[in-house]
C-alpha cells in the first residue's frame, strides 16, 4: 500500500495556524488529524481527545521517557508532544496526516522524517502579527509579551521549511495549503512504486 503523506503546518504564534488548519481539515475530511498531548490547562470549550490530550507534567514526562513522542517542545511554559504510534499507523495505512505544531517541533519532525512536507505560515507583517495576538484575548499580558518577544526570532526560521504561505487572507492561505498537499501527492518520487508496478504488467 502507498504510504500516506505527513504534512506539518507551523509558524509563529499569531500567524493564524489554528484558523488555517481548521479550514483545511474542514475542506479535506480525508486528512487525518494528529491530536497532541499538552500539559496546558484546557481553555473554554476544549475537549479531551478532540483538541488535545490534557496530561499532568508527570504523565507527560513518563510518556517522553518511554519514547512515545515523535517530537516534543516547551511552548510558553507548557509542554506539548505528538504521540508517535498513531501517526505512523495512519501513514502505514495510506492516510495523509496533518499537524499544526510549533516551529521547534516541526524542525524535529523534518530531521526524524525528512519525507514530511513542512509549511511555514507567515503573517503579512510584524504589526499584523502583534495585532492578531492582542485581538485573540486568550492570553494575559505576561504571556502576550512573551509571544510577541519570541515571534521575531521564530519568523527568521522560515528557511528550514519546504513551503511558505503568506497569511494576509485566511481563505487564500487555506487554498494554497490545499494546493501544496495536492501537488505533493503528485510528485514522481511519491508515486514511483505505483508506476513501476503498472509498467511490470
Ligand atoms: P495552544 O496552547 O495555543 O493550543 O498552542 C500553543 C502552541 O503550541 C501553538 O504554536 C501550537 O502550534 C503548538 N503545539 C500544539 N501542539 C503541539 C505539539 O504537539 N507539538 C509542538 N511542538 N507544538 C504544538
Amino acid at each position: 500500500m502507498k504510504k500516506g503523506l505527513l504534512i506539518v503546518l507551523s509558524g509563529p504564534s499569531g500567524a493564524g495556524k489554528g484558523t488555517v488548519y481548521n479550514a483545511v481539515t474542514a475542506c479535506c475530511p480525508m486528512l487525518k488529524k494528529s491530536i497532541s498531548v499538552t500539559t496546558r490547562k484546557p481553555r473554554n470549550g476544549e475537549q479531551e481527545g478532540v483538541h488535545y490530550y490534557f496530561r499532568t507534567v508527570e504523565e507527560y514526562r513518563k510518556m517522553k521517557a518511554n519514547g512515545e513522542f515523535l517530537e516534543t517542545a516547551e511552548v510558553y511554559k507548557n509542554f506539548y508532544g505528538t504521540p508517535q504510534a498513531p501517526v505512523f499507523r495512519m501513514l502505514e495505512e495510506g492516510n495523509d496526516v496533518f499537524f499544526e505544531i510549533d516551529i521547534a517541533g516541526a524542525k524535529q519532525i523534518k530531521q526524524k522524517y525528512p519525507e514530511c512536507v513542512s509549511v511555514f505560515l507567515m503573517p503579512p507583517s510584524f504589526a499584523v502579527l502583534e495585532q492578531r495576538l492582542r485581538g485573540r484575548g486568550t492570553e494575559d499580558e505576561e504571556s502576550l509579551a512573551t509571544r510577541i518577544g519570541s515571534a521575531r526570532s521564530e519568523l527568521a526560521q522560515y528557511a528550514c521549511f519546504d513551503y511558505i504561505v503568506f497569511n494576509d487572507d485566511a481563505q487564500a492561505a487555506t487554498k494554497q495549503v490545499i494546493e501544496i498537499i495536492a501537488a505533493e501527492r503528485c510528485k514522481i518520487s511519491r508515486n514511483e512504486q505505483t508506476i513501476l508496478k503498472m509498467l511490470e504488467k
Side-chain angles (χ1 to χ4, degrees), residues 30-105:
M30 297 295 278
L31 284 179
K32 298 282 179 193
K33 295 183 188 181
S34 159
I35 315 283
S36 301
V37 166
T38 183
T39 59
R40 135 166 115 54
K41 299 271 169 289
R43 294 187 186 125
N44 268 349
E46 284 185 335
Q47 289 168 28
E48 166 71 17
V50 176
H51 300 93
Y52 282 106
Y53 296 111
F54 296 98
R55 296 290 177 267
T56 62
V57 172
E58 199 188 325
E59 287 167 335
Y60 166 88
R61 289 212 170 112
K62 247 186 225 163
M63 290 179 78
K64 191 171 174 179
N66 287 340
E68 292 182 42
F69 291 122
L70 177 57
E71 61 74 40
T72 58
E74 186 180 346
V75 189
Y76 312 119
K77 297 190 186 147
N78 294 302
F79 297 109
Y80 294 81
T82 302
Q84 180 163 289
V87 171
F88 285 149
R89 197 182 320 118
M90 289 187 279
L91 292 173
E92 286 303 328
E93 288 168 357
N95 295 298
D96 296 338
V97 188
F98 187 38
F99 312 4
E100 183 247 301
I101 58 173
D102 91 313
I103 295 168

